[in-house]
Amino acid sequence: MIARLALLALATGAAPAWAQAVNDYPTNARAEYVFACMATNGQTRDMLDRCSCAIDQIAEVLPYDDYVSAETVLRMQQTTGERSGMFRGMPQMTEIIAHLKRAEAEAEILCF
């Protein structure tokens, strides 16, 4: 029965929606990453390709919501004040960043 439902879903076009859900990074988020990467590593065609590869690899490993959470924690850690302290010391925040760092390390190995 489940196999029939899966075949029916494929036949009705549900596969593209599923594929899109796996690759859920919006274009502007990808572009922002590539611009920042190129600003750090150089404004060359080679870096454009490498930075684009990197965000594609990160997107394969890390869901977009997790990426946004990690970027938010990293930005909050750079601020000053009382509220930013909770983003520095909490184990949950450290784990969120660790997922992003692992994805970035994998992307660096594959793309750079």
Side-chain angles (χ1 to χ4, degrees), residues 14 20 32 34 72 90:
Q20 186 176 5
E32 184 177 289
V34 171
T72 301
M90 293 180 67

Side-chain angles (χ1 to χ4, degrees), residues 45-84:
R45 173 63 193 192
D46 183 49
M47 278 304 130
L48 172 65
D49 293 340
R50 291 176 187 267
C51 293
S52 297
C53 172
I55 191 61
D56 290 344
Q57 294 301 319
I58 291 168
E60 284 187 28
V61 175
L62 195 66
Y64 182 65
D65 288 341
D66 293 350
Y67 175 80
V68 170
S69 295
E71 286 291 316
T72 301
V73 170
L74 287 170
R75 287 191 175 123
M76 290 304 297
Q77 286 180 342
Q78 294 175 355
T79 63
T80 59
E82 194 175 307
R83 291 184 181 173
S84 67

Side-chain angles (χ1 to χ4, degrees), residues 19-38:
Q20 186 176 5
V22 171
N23 188 4
D24 62 348
Y25 282 50
T27 303
N28 63 343
R30 288 176 184 268
E32 184 177 289
Y33 181 91
V34 171
F35 289 146
C37 176
M38 289 178 68

Side-chain angles (χ1 to χ4, degrees), residues 86-102:
M86 71 180 223
F87 290 95
R88 290 189 193 102
M90 293 180 67
Q92 298 91 344
M93 302 302 166
T94 305
E95 185 63 27
I96 289 170
I97 294 171
H99 289 297
L100 176 60
K101 296 295 182 189
R102 282 192 291 273

